[in-house]
Amino acid sequence: ALHPDLLLRVAAFKDYVNGFDNVPYDDYGHGTHVTGLIGGSGLSGILTGTPRNYRGVAPAAHFVGLKVLDENGVGRISDVIAALDWCVAN
């Protein structure tokens, strides 16, 4: 999802659930959580004045988001395969 810790580092986003390819979103939350663990910059802590600034293990990484799970964390195998095919093609 659009989050300060990932600002300007989502290189591409493709939505296989609802077809909303233009703006990254994460209505289930798992993708944003995992992405933050990997590449969170810590910017949100700075912006909110939090005394501790948590960063991911690769805070300068860029990401490609391929949404295959719905708001309940449920997805179709065919969407996963289509997303993997998109990775190979792009």
Side-chain angles (χ1 to χ4, degrees):
L2 295 175
H3 189 281
D5 277 17
L6 306 173
L7 187 65
L8 302 176
R9 293 188 297 123
V10 178
F13 179 77
K14 184 124 177 84
D15 179 4
Y16 289 91
V17 178
N18 297 308
F20 302 141
D21 293 341
N22 296 330
V23 178
Y25 74 100
D26 185 5
D27 51 2
Y28 185 57
H30 183 260
T32 304
H33 175 79
V34 172
T35 303
L37 292 172
I38 296 167
S41 67
L43 180 60
S44 62
I46 294 167
L47 294 175
T48 60
T50 305
R52 293 201 170 125
N53 185 14
Y54 296 102
R55 297 172 56 178
V57 295
H62 286 74
F63 299 93
V64 172
L66 301 170
K67 181 170 178 55
V68 296
L69 301 178
D70 66 14
E71 69 275 4
N72 298 308
V74 176
R76 298 182 310 201
I77 296 293
S78 60
D79 289 340
V80 174
I81 292 169
L84 292 171
D85 286 344
W86 185 91
C87 287
V88 171
N90 292 281

